[in-house]
Structures are given as C-alpha cells and as structure tokens.
Amino acid sequence: MEKLNLNSLRVFATAARHGNFQRAAEMLHISNGAVSQRIKQLEADLGVVLFDRKPRGVALTEKGRTYYSAVQEALSILAVATSDLGQSSRQIRLHIGASSAAKWLMPRMSAFNARFPEISLETEIHDTMLERNLGRNEIALWPARAPVHNSAHHVQCLCELQLVAVCSPDFLRPDWPVDTQALLAFPLLQDAHRRWERLVERTGYDGGHSILNFGRSALALDAAIQSHGVAIAPTFMIEADVRARRLVEIWRNPDPSGEYFFLSWPKQYAHENPLRQTVTWILSEFGIDTAADT
Amino acid sequence: MEKLNLNSLRVFATAARHGNFQRAAEMLHISNGAVSQRIKQLEADLGVVLFDRKPRGVALTEKGRTYYSAVQEALSILAVATSDLGQSSRQIRLHIGASSAAKWLMPRMSAFNARFPEISLETEIHDTMLERNLGRNEIALWPARAPVHNSAHHVQCLCELQLVAVCSPDFLRPDWPVDTQALLAFPLLQDAHRRWERLVERTGYDGGHSILNFGRSALALDAAIQSHGVAIAPTFMIEADVRARRLVEIWRNPDPSGEYFFLSWPKQYAHENPLRQTVTWILSEFGIDTAADT
DNA sequence: CGGCACGAGTAATGCTGCTTTGTCAATTTC
DNA sequence: GAAATTGACAAAGCAGCATTACTCGTGCCG
C-alpha cells in the first residue's frame, strides 16, 4: 500500500465499471495501451489477478470484485470531498444531461434567478449518469427506467417520460391531426435513443420513411423548429417551445414509455437552505408539492 | 477530480499528518522537493490553498482540514482493502514494534505454533504506530500513554509498563540489591525512550554516570545480556530472558510509568476464528481471561 | 547580534509511465 | 469461410514526476 500507485486504482475502477479496457481508456482520456499497462502493473503489485480476460472485454475475478467495491467507495469519498472544496454555500451544482439542460432548465433559468437571486446555479452537463455520490450543494436530474436507490441520496420521481411528436407550426398541413401510419411518412427527426426507429419496428409499418439522426434530443427539436420534419421527445422537453408557438404537438404515444425523470439530492445536506430551496423549486415546476416543510 | 493526481493526495495526507513537508518526504521515502512540488501542483489543480506555510513546518488551512479528513478516510479504506486482498483466512498479520517482537513475541512463537498449527502468523514490524484501520485478520500491539479509541476497533489494555533494571547474572556484585543512587553509577544502557536520562534528571543525582544509547530496547537488553551494563525495560520484555537466567532483575521503578501496552483488533471481524483465537491467546499470555466466549 | 539549524522553494537532469503504432486472436457478418 | 470488427497486448519515442543540489527566509542559542 505504501508504494501502491493510486492513479492505477482509478484506472482499475473505471475498467471494472465498464468491463472493458477500451471503454475505460475513453472515459479517462488515455490510450488503451495505458490501461492495459496500468492494470498489469497493479495486478503485479498486488500479487492478485483482478480481471478474467474474456474474448470481448474483461470480467472481475472474485477478489477483483471485493476490491472494486472498496476502491469505488474510497474514490467516491474523494470525488465528493474534491467537489465540495471550492463550493461556497450559495452555489448549487446541478448535474443534468445536455438536452434536459437546453430544453427544460434554460427556459426556466431567468425565473429561477428572479425568485432566488442569492443562489448561483452552476449547471454541469453530463453524457453519462454521474457515478459518484452527490456532495454538499449538488443535485442531479436524470432519466432512467427505474430509480437508482442509494442510502446517501433522496430520489424523487418527477414524471413519466411521455413521448410526443412535434413539428413547427409552419410544417402543418390541412390534414392534421394524423394517425400513426401517416405520421411515419414524414421526415423523422430522432436522437441517440432512436425512438422513431423503434416505433417503426413495433408498428411493423413498411412504407418509405426517412430518418434523420441527431446526437442529442435538443438538436432534433431545433431541427423540428426549423421545419425539417417531425421530432419525438418527452413532454417536459418541448413544453417551453410549445408555449412559445415554435412547436406544435401533433401526436401522442399511447403506450407508456416505462422511463421516468428523476431528481436526487444528498440526504446529509437535505435540510440546508440553498439546496432545499432549489429542490423544492424543481419539484414545484413538475407540479409536486412539498407543503409539509417550509 | 477526473484528472486529479491521486498520488498527490497521499502526499497531502502524509504532510498534513506530520505538519511538515520534510517529515512527510521521509515517511514516503521521497525527497523534500518532490513533496513541495506535489503539494504546489495539487493546490493549483484544486484552486485551493491547503497549507499555511509557517517558519517551522506547515499548518492546514480551514479548507485543508476538512479536505484532509475526507482524504484520510478514503485512504484508510484503500489501505484496509489492499491489505485484505492477499490474505487467506488462516493468515494473521500482527503489527508490532521491533523490540516487542524480539523480546515478547519471539520467545512465544513456538508455543503459539504448537497450539495453533493451522494459523500462520505474519509479523509486521513498525517504527511508528499504524495510522490506518485494521483489516480482516489484522492485529496490532502497541505501547501508549492512553488507548487510541476508534469505533472500528476493539482496544484492550494488556498491562501497565512497569520499568525494571536488569543486568547479566555475571555482572552481579556482592552488594546487591542496590538502591537507586548506587544503581546510577553503573554503565546505563537505554533505548530511544531515554528512560535512564529522565530518571537521572528526576532524582537529581549528579555523581558521574555513563550512558550508552541504543536505537531499540531489544539492543539495549542484548547489551545487558553481554554484561555491558544495566538496562531498563518494561517487565513484559525481559520476562523470557529472566526465566532463562540470561538477565536478573536488580531494581524496580516504584513510580507508575503512566504507559500501557495495548492490543487492538477490528470489530467487524472479531467473531471470525483465526483472529479470535489469536486475540484470546495474546490476552491469556497477559493473564487476561475471556471465559465468556469459547 | 552572529552563527547555526530548520524547513520550504527552485532548477537541471534522469527515470517512470503515457502515446503511438502495430500485431494477434476471437467473434461477428455477409 | 473471407472480411471486418472488437479488444487485449507489445515495443519504441516522448512527457511528467523524482532526485539532487542548491537558495533563502526564519527562529533559536550563545
């Protein structure tokens, strides 16, 4: 331990989490060779084989698994402490996906600032869900099939993701509203979730259909605003654009999506004020009342 | 955090613990310059000043203090997990000082092996008390003025350190036993605790006296065995040599030393068998019965 | 008040480890 | 079953960390 390379442990944890050295290398912004070397060195130092090398990726050995859970816990403590360090108590850090930030948060920012001028909200955009625990004055908003429960956090479901199709008012034809079949004939704008593709598969529709892919939901929606076609997105993301008449809803998915939008915040600091106010505000924006505490 | 050098955190923790970069460098077996650079880099990365530079050493700033406690906790988790990794459940690791190992443990090793042939005892010698928590199958023996309580450990006082003066039987003169004054006239063998020196000061004795210093108690005792003079040591260290007639006790310090010998072991694994057996054995060697559990 | 010891900081040079590039084996796809 | 893909691993050049050998400011002691 005295001479153990701690940076290797971060590499180990990342590789263990993804079960794949290459993916780990990407996450850490280093090369795959570096990961391979680090793990090899670490295993040599510990005198223990941590991974079984499989044809596709790697899997933790029994010892690797027990070690990983400890390493993960330690790194989480460090990450939280490091994140807390620079924070003033008036600063709230909000972890959120790019599209939710653009399409849900941004339209509400000025209202938030007007209501809580003393709180400075720092939004941090993530591609993947935050792996570590939340620190003081941190909040996370994320979509998922089921809540990731964790004894350190409160988790609150904000709404189910109900999918709707939207397009620009300029894009409207006289024959609206359309049925599902007619809908699929238009240029379809989708994001990495490939919701149109899956819908096409499910309905078994096989007329010609053109699909345009975008990296993020927000881009697909912007394309719809510019009359390039019909985008599909959860209701909370289009609300502001619909109210501003940049988009109109033309179809609503009758099936439940099975996905939900969650809010989580650290239990330990739940009573402290800038955090509690921000949580309460987000809940109220989703029509959830927390009348009990003032 | 993503790009934070974790090795720097170990340097930080060590420096924080000792309040001194040079001492930290020694502990880590690196140069003082390296410590200076690491801390500087770490502070730059975090954007936070962790230490106040004092004319003699350094002191943690307010933020440094809160950060240190988290880093310390994380490193302790890693140290314990790492130490547990290679361990088989039949292996007990015993952390102990060099002299206690040589003069208390070694004479009892064969008896222990005869009694518990299935337990393999691995003794690890330390100059300073172990900073981290104990892991699975780890036990620590250490002298101190007061028990260092810790919610993760059981701590049991084994005995008070009672100081006695010993010499070789060959060294004996007809006029034994002697009084304190006469004692101090002989060549005095002492270790880093400088017990003779302090005794001379306390008694105010000012006849000529010659003192030989040894780095460890065990060396002073070996010198006494070879008739070089009179050594001073706690009873538990000389017991075996006295029984073997290599040493005789010629004086006993009437004052209480205020120091005690402690045993500690992890609560979490206290019920597991090789550990429990070893703890019970050590206690019984000090005449402490744990009749309650079998 | 002068010397000395302590301890942090700095600059030039050498070694660990990261990057690049390529190989090889296993697996999927057509 | 040939081609493409995936993913681990290996060898040679390059960057960052450690070492060495200093400087400099501060406090202690005679």
Side-chain angles (χ1 to χ4, degrees):
Chain A
M1 180 61 202
E2 296 255 306
K3 300 201 70 193
L4 194 67
N5 190 334
L6 297 180
N7 291 320
S8 299
L9 293 182
R10 173 165 47 202
V11 176
F12 163 62
T14 309
R17 184 171 323 118
H18 293 94
N20 181 316
F21 286 4
Q22 300 217 138
R23 203 66 55 80
E26 286 166 28
M27 302 308 293
L28 296 165
H29 307 108
I30 60 177
S31 65
N32 58 349
V35 173
S36 192
Q37 288 175 12
R38 290 317 257 170
I39 300 294
K40 192 176 178 184
Q41 183 63 43
L42 181 64
E43 288 182 327
D45 289 346
L46 295 172
V48 166
V49 176
L50 297 167
F51 291 105
D52 283 330
R53 273 66 171 179
K54 295 280 170 74
R56 294 286 162 111
V58 293
L60 283 170
T61 60
E62 188 56 40
K63 290 194 170 185
R65 205 166 8 258
T66 65
Y67 197 48
Y68 170 60
S69 69
V71 171
Q72 184 49 32
E73 188 190 345
L75 291 181
S76 176
I77 290 171
L78 291 179
V80 169
T82 304
S83 150
D84 284 358
L85 246 195
Q87 292 287 86
S88 92
S89 67
R90 318 211 145 282
Q91 227 171 355
I92 295 289
R93 186 176 300 164
L94 178 60
H95 300 275
I96 189 171
S99 297
S100 311
K103 292 296 176 185
W104 183 85
L105 181 61
M106 286 310 149
R108 287 165 174 78
M109 276 299 281
S110 58
F112 181 87
N113 282 330
R115 181 125 153 64
F116 303 106
E118 76 284 5
I119 301 180
S120 105
L121 203 61
E122 176 190 347
T123 66
E124 201 159 294
I125 304 298
H126 293 272
D127 289 331
T128 67
M129 210 211 304
L130 197 66
E131 291 133 3
R132 61 175 173 83
N133 283 353
L134 295 168
R136 200 171 180 202
N137 291 338
E138 288 190 309
I139 293 177
L141 276 165
W142 37 274
R145 301 217 148 260
V148 177
H149 280 299
N150 176 323
S151 62
H153 297 155
H154 289 293
V155 177
Q156 169 74 49
C157 177
L158 296 171
C159 66
E160 182 175 3
L161 299 197
Q162 186 171 21
L163 298 177
V164 298
V166 289
C167 66
S168 163
D170 306 338
F171 195 73
L172 276 172
R173 312 282 169 89
D175 47 351
W176 298 107
V178 296
D179 63 5
T180 309
Q181 294 298 314
L183 189 67
L184 298 176
F186 291 107
L188 302 174
L189 314 173
Q190 72 177 6
D191 61 16
H193 292 97
R194 311 197 160 268
R195 300 192 202 277
W196 281 129
E197 247 170 53
R198 277 190 273 165
L199 195 67
V200 168
E201 278 172 27
R202 265 209 310 277
T203 58
Y205 172 81
D206 202 21
H209 61 280
S210 71
I211 288 182
L212 285 171
N213 285 298
F214 296 86
R216 339 207 80 119
S217 318
L219 293 178
L221 287 171
D222 287 340
I225 290 172
Q226 286 155 50
S227 300
H228 293 300
V230 179
I232 188 165
T235 46
F236 76 86
M237 277 198 198
I238 54 144
E239 202 184 327
D241 284 325
V242 167
R243 207 179 309 130
R245 309 226 180 280
R246 284 188 291 268
L247 289 175
V248 290
E249 181 183 327
I250 57 171
W251 174 84
R252 189 167 277 244
N253 190 350
D255 307 323
S257 67
E259 283 186 285
Y260 304 85
F261 201 47
F262 292 102
L263 172 68
S264 57
W265 67 99
K267 279 185 186 168
Q268 200 183 347
Y269 306 108
H271 62 283
E272 291 186 8
N273 221 333
L275 184 78
R276 216 200 51 197
Q277 289 171 317
T278 310
V279 166
T280 307
W281 177 78
I282 293 174
L283 291 174
S284 71
E285 284 294 311
F286 278 92
I288 299 169
D289 239 4
T290 50
D293 41 31
T294 40
Chain B
M1 178 63 202
E2 294 257 305
K3 299 201 71 194
L4 195 65
N5 190 332
L6 297 180
N7 291 321
S8 298
L9 294 182
R10 173 164 47 202
V11 176
F12 163 62
T14 309
R17 182 158 43 246
H18 293 93
N20 181 317
F21 285 4
Q22 300 221 136
R23 204 65 57 77
E26 287 165 27
M27 302 309 292
L28 296 164
H29 308 111
I30 60 177
S31 64
N32 58 347
V35 173
S36 192
Q37 287 177 16
R38 297 304 257 190
I39 300 294
K40 192 177 176 182
Q41 183 64 45
L42 181 64
E43 289 182 326
D45 290 346
L46 295 172
V48 166
V49 177
L50 297 167
F51 291 105
D52 282 330
R53 273 67 170 179
K54 297 278 170 78
R56 293 290 162 108
V58 294
L60 283 168
T61 60
E62 189 56 41
K63 290 194 168 182
R65 203 165 10 257
T66 65
Y67 196 47
Y68 170 61
S69 70
V71 171
Q72 183 49 32
E73 188 190 345
L75 291 180
S76 175
I77 290 170
L78 291 179
V80 170
T82 304
S83 151
D84 285 357
L85 245 196
Q87 292 287 88
S88 93
S89 66
R90 319 210 144 283
Q91 225 172 359
I92 296 287
R93 187 175 300 165
L94 178 60
H95 299 275
I96 190 171
S99 297
S100 310
K103 291 297 176 186
W104 183 85
L105 180 62
M106 287 310 149
R108 287 165 174 79
M109 276 300 280
S110 58
F112 181 88
N113 283 330
R115 181 124 153 64
F116 304 106
E118 77 283 5
I119 301 180
S120 105
L121 203 62
E122 176 191 347
T123 66
E124 200 159 295
I125 304 298
H126 293 271
D127 289 331
T128 66
M129 210 211 302
L130 197 66
E131 289 134 2
R132 62 174 173 82
N133 283 351
L134 295 168
R136 197 170 183 200
N137 290 338
E138 288 190 310
I139 293 177
L141 277 165
W142 38 273
R145 301 217 147 259
V148 176
H149 281 299
N150 176 322
S151 62
H153 297 154
H154 289 293
V155 177
Q156 169 73 49
C157 177
L158 296 171
C159 65
E160 183 176 3
L161 299 197
Q162 187 170 23
L163 297 176
V164 298
V166 290
C167 64
S168 163
D170 307 339
F171 195 74
L172 277 172
R173 312 284 169 87
D175 47 350
W176 297 108
V178 297
D179 62 6
T180 310
Q181 294 297 314
L183 188 68
L184 297 177
F186 291 107
L188 302 174
L189 313 172
Q190 71 178 7
D191 61 15
H193 292 96
R194 312 197 158 268
R195 300 191 202 278
W196 282 128
E197 245 170 52
R198 278 192 271 165
L199 196 66
V200 167
E201 277 172 28
R202 265 210 308 279
T203 58
Y205 172 82
D206 201 24
H209 62 277
S210 70
I211 289 182
L212 285 170
N213 285 298
F214 296 85
R216 340 206 81 120
S217 316
L219 293 177
L221 287 171
D222 288 340
I225 290 172
Q226 285 154 52
S227 299
H228 293 300
V230 179
I232 187 166
T235 47
F236 75 88
M237 277 200 199
I238 55 143
E239 204 184 328
D241 284 326
V242 166
R243 209 180 307 130
R245 310 226 181 279
R246 284 188 291 268
L247 288 176
V248 291
E249 181 184 328
I250 58 170
W251 173 84
R252 188 168 279 243
N253 190 351
D255 306 323
S257 68
E259 283 187 285
Y260 303 85
F261 201 46
F262 292 102
L263 173 68
S264 58
W265 65 100
K267 278 184 187 168
Q268 200 184 345
Y269 306 108
H271 62 282
E272 290 186 10
N273 222 333
L275 183 78
R276 217 200 50 196
Q277 289 172 316
T278 311
V279 166
T280 307
W281 176 79
I282 293 174
L283 291 174
S284 72
E285 285 294 312
F286 278 92
I288 299 169
D289 239 4
T290 50
D293 43 32
T294 40

